Amino acid sequence: MAGSETSAATTATPTSTSTSATNRRRFLVTSSAAVAGAGAALVLPGQRRSSAAADTPPAQGSSPARPSAGRAAPFGATTLETTARLAPGSGYRRLVSGPGWPLAVRDELAAARSGRADRRTALACFVQVTDLHVADVQSPLRTEFLRAGSPGSWRAQEALSVAGSVALVEQINALGDGPYTGRPPAFVMSTGDNVDNHSALELEWFLTLMSGGRITPNSGDPHAYEGVQNSGLPLYWHPDSDLSDQDKRRGLPRIPGYLEAALRPVVSPGLRMPWYSTPGNHDDLPGGCLSPYDPVLREYVTGARKLYSVPDAEVAALARVLDTGGDPKSTVLREILLRHAAGARAVTPDARRRMLTPHEYVRAHLDPAFAGAGPAGHGYSENQLDGERMYYSFRAADGVLGISIDTTYRSGHYEGSVGDEQLAWLERTLAAHSAHYYDADGRPVRNAAADDAHILVFSHHHSPSMTRRPDAARTEEKRHDGEEVIALLNRFPNVVAWINGHSHINRITPHPHPTAARSFWEVNTASHVDYPQHARVFELVDNHDGTLSLFTTLIESAAPHRTDFDDLSAVGLASLYREVSYNAPGLAAQMGGGVHEAMAGRAVDRNTELTVRRE
């Protein structure tokens, strides 16, 4: 069996309603997809405009914040209601609650017809999270020293990834109904880079985060921090000391007790709805781009040495091969680690940091200890334990099919692709659920036995980051890039959207076809580790006029926008996690109107109604 199909536990009943970059190595390397702005229209709170967009009731953009149970913004709210903003000033800037973002109606692929709000029927509601990068920041195999060549190669907030992610789980649980359908989210899909460094320990933390339980975000010495933030090197932020490091010189504060607090146990409530998991390059590869097969690296990650600094020339050499992918066996890093072993800091070895095989990754998802709200395996099944297949389909709602594909390379590279076997499986799966589609030569095909479902495709990589690079781990198999996946999806009118992450930006791209019904949307969502720390709520509706609408609404974590440096509780740390990410090097200087559009996206990439034809 070349894949699996599982059944989502979807408890909501469809109702008719008239209510309405990237990784550390290479920042925004694959964010080149252009967005067609023509046809997009903004609906501001309290404003109606002429034409079809007026059919979206303004109350959706101006509704009062949801009940907050005494918690500060944005708890229980979406970015339609409020967004985090940097306060005016210079240097390190605090966060404040800003206005919400309006809905943008995008009708490049299908006309947004008048009266649709009175006709529409809810089909599905769900949440996408992506690029959580749950991180063991003390792991010996992390390459923080690359920061000597690029300030963005290390994140000052990374030690708080668990607390920040728990606050996102709390927000999803608090959301209630979707803002346009009145239907509660039926499931959550995590589209990869669930963990940061391909570690068994990080995976345990991620699975506990999603399913509920106690997480102690510490490794090595159970009583002491052994990472770069107490190394004495001014290359890194030292929040607990008076060291004049490069981050304090640009305004980051001194926060006594920060590192001790970052290692304290955190309790996740777990998602109250079923959740699914899609693999990303950081889930499959150490650092998201290193070889998982090298014996030196495999030993080093669990060992007793951690390298904090190397000569600038070696930093540049390593950054060069990581950028180009010209060293799939990680020879350059292996030689650096061996060459400087004597100068590395002694740390406490920890076998829990070990690398994972694809079999172990799937098996961990199937562990009953991480069942949470289900489904068993979170998309994966026992049928996938006999190989390396990490793709599957599932029932997202009545009449809606979800397809999760695996776009990762097994050898060391951050880009994505799919192989022959998976592409053939994807074609078969699409055809099995499409009563009408087109073959590779453009001829119509009928399949009377199909259930004719609306189809949502999920992956980690977005189309510009998928290449035909040979996979050194699977040299016999031809690889296929993003354009080939787009061409395949264009053959199936049932495909509504391709939903993904990886780029750490918000970007929505139309993929038109001369036959309008063969067009679909690609929705790329920002990460939860870097600014702007977003996830998305999706709502699919049938407008009963030959079109569907897919509403996308961004959400932030439940942590308050404002924080106090003296508040080192789990909630306070989650707020600080967001605030420090907004103060990344050079970020504030590139914000116009309080938004860094290269990462947060333009208005037409954030809160949207995306219309699509359906035959």
Side-chain angles (χ1 to χ4, degrees):
M1 184 175 177
S4 67
E5 180 167 351
T6 59
S7 178
T10 306
T11 58
T13 301
T15 57
S16 178
T17 176
S18 61
T19 60
S20 22
T22 67
N23 59 41
R24 296 191 303 273
R25 318 292 182 236
R26 185 178 174 115
F27 184 65
L28 297 179
V29 65
T30 54
S31 60
S32 59
V35 175
L42 300 184
V43 180
L44 297 167
Q47 170 191 357
R48 293 180 70 89
R49 72 174 185 90
S50 60
S51 84
D55 286 300
T56 302
Q60 297 305 330
S62 59
S63 58
R66 294 176 174 85
S68 63
R71 299 263 304 259
F75 181 79
T78 73
T79 59
L80 290 167
E81 296 149 342
T82 185
T83 59
R85 298 290 179 95
L86 286 173
S90 59
Y92 185 88
R93 293 162 61 182
R94 307 308 303 270
L95 287 187
V96 296
S97 294
W101 289 326
L103 176 78
V105 178
R106 297 193 58 175
D107 56 3
E108 298 101 297
L109 299 183
R113 293 172 177 153
S114 62
R116 67 190 184 283
D118 296 323
R119 294 187 301 268
R120 62 175 52 124
T121 300
L123 299 175
C125 179
F126 62 93
V127 178
Q128 176 207 13
V129 302
T130 193
D131 296 84
L132 293 174
H133 288 269
V134 173
D136 171 14
V137 294
Q138 300 173 89
S139 171
L141 197 54
R142 288 169 60 84
T143 53
E144 297 103 333
F145 50 78
L146 285 169
R147 197 186 201 204
S150 170
S153 294
W154 175 76
R155 305 179 181 98
Q157 72 272 15
E158 285 180 323
L160 306 181
S161 66
V162 170
S165 297
V166 167
L168 180 59
V169 168
E170 291 177 331
Q171 182 74 312
I172 295 168
N173 287 341
L175 284 175
D177 298 339
Y180 297 99
T181 62
R183 168 181 281 201
F187 68 92
V188 174
M189 170 60 81
S190 182
T191 51
D193 283 2
N194 306 313
V195 305
D196 191 60
N197 209 31
H198 183 57
S199 157
L201 181 58
E202 290 175 340
L203 181 59
E204 178 186 323
W205 295 347
F206 165 73
L207 294 172
T208 305
L209 162 76
M210 301 291 274
S211 297
R214 180 184 176 95
I215 305 167
T216 302
N218 188 18
S219 65
D221 189 332
H223 306 295
Y225 171 85
E226 299 178 307
V228 297
Q229 291 187 267
N230 66 356
S231 64
L233 297 173
L235 185 62
Y236 313 107
W237 179 39
H238 286 56
D240 284 272
S241 81
D242 293 322
L243 178 72
S244 179
D245 57 63
Q246 70 175 37
D247 292 297
K248 288 205 193 75
R249 290 195 291 271
R250 63 182 183 86
L252 264 66
R254 182 174 182 270
I255 307 177
Y258 174 98
L259 293 177
E260 179 184 357
L263 304 183
R264 284 201 301 258
V266 181
V267 176
S268 172
L271 290 165
R272 295 175 185 165
M273 63 202 71
W275 62 271
Y276 294 85
S277 179
T278 293
N281 52 301
H282 280 258
D283 302 310
D284 266 2
L285 306 171
C289 58
L290 301 172
S291 171
Y293 305 108
D294 184 86
V296 172
L297 271 56
R298 295 182 72 85
E299 181 179 0
Y300 199 90
V301 73
T302 60
R305 295 284 174 179
K306 181 172 174 61
L307 192 57
Y308 294 161
S309 177
V310 301
D312 289 348
E314 295 183 48
V315 168
L318 179 57
R320 187 163 50 250
V321 298
L322 294 178
D323 259 8
T324 63
D327 186 23
K329 296 184 178 181
S330 299
T331 303
V332 174
L333 177 60
R334 179 176 67 247
E335 291 179 351
I336 287 173
L337 296 176
L338 293 174
R339 186 181 306 120
H340 297 285
R345 176 177 172 177
V347 296
T348 306
D350 194 332
R352 299 176 301 163
R353 293 168 172 153
R354 72 186 185 281
M355 298 182 193
L356 293 160
T357 66
H359 176 102
E360 291 170 324
Y361 187 84
V362 171
R363 173 60 73 187
H365 282 76
L366 288 162
D367 189 334
F370 303 120
H378 305 291
Y380 302 117
S381 72
E382 296 282 347
N383 293 324
Q384 291 161 292
L385 293 174
D386 61 351
E388 294 192 350
R389 296 185 306 276
M390 297 172 70
Y391 46 90
Y392 57 89
S393 64
F394 65 102
R395 186 177 67 85
D398 289 341
V400 182
L401 180 74
I403 300 176
S404 172
I405 61 176
D406 174 12
T407 56
T408 62
Y409 282 99
R410 289 287 186 266
S411 57
H413 202 267
Y414 57 81
E415 291 177 341
S417 67
V418 294
D420 281 333
E421 179 183 333
Q422 183 177 183
L423 195 69
W425 171 86
L426 177 59
E427 182 175 2
R428 291 194 304 272
T429 303
L430 293 166
H433 295 275
S434 299
H436 173 223
Y437 62 96
Y438 298 84
D439 67 17
D441 296 319
R443 295 184 294 262
V445 179
R446 300 287 177 178
N447 178 11
D451 58 10
D452 214 27
H454 305 295
I455 297 173
L456 304 166
V457 178
F458 300 92
S459 72
H460 176 64
H461 291 87
H462 66 334
S463 59
S465 61
M466 294 178 64
T467 69
R468 298 181 187 179
R469 180 185 301 275
D471 189 345
R474 296 175 284 198
T475 55
E476 75 290 347
E477 187 176 40
K478 180 181 177 183
R479 309 303 294 178
H480 300 274
D481 63 14
E483 290 301 315
E484 292 173 279
V485 174
I486 291 169
L488 175 61
L489 299 182
N490 273 144
R491 290 170 44 199
F492 294 86
N494 285 15
V495 173
V496 177
W498 179 7
I499 299 164
N500 46 44
H502 183 68
S503 71
H504 292 213
I505 66 170
N506 291 318
R507 179 70 54 84
I508 299 179
T509 306
H511 290 300
H513 190 275
T515 302
R518 296 173 62 178
S519 304
F520 68 93
W521 293 95
E522 183 172 354
V523 183
N524 190 214
T525 301
S527 78
H528 195 67
V529 65
D530 290 316
Y531 167 92
Q533 293 195 356
H534 283 159
R536 280 193 206 260
V537 179
F538 288 82
E539 296 170 272
L540 180 64
V541 303
D542 186 344
N543 295 320
H544 295 288
D545 59 7
T547 71
L548 305 176
S549 287
L550 183 65
F551 290 94
T552 78
T553 305
L554 293 167
I555 60 172
E556 302 171 333
S557 84
H561 291 149
R562 299 184 67 89
T563 185
D564 187 329
F565 293 147
D566 293 330
D567 180 5
L568 297 181
S569 67
V571 173
L573 293 177
S575 293
L576 190 59
Y577 182 61
R578 180 196 292 124
E579 186 169 274
V580 175
S581 77
Y582 275 58
N583 281 275
L587 193 67
Q590 300 175 50
M591 288 188 182
V595 178
H596 191 294
E597 290 192 344
M599 298 184 72
R602 297 185 292 156
V604 294
D605 301 307
R606 297 181 228 144
N607 298 332
T608 67
E609 179 186 3
L610 311 174
T611 55
V612 64
R613 281 281 302 276
R614 177 67 198 270
E615 289 186 345

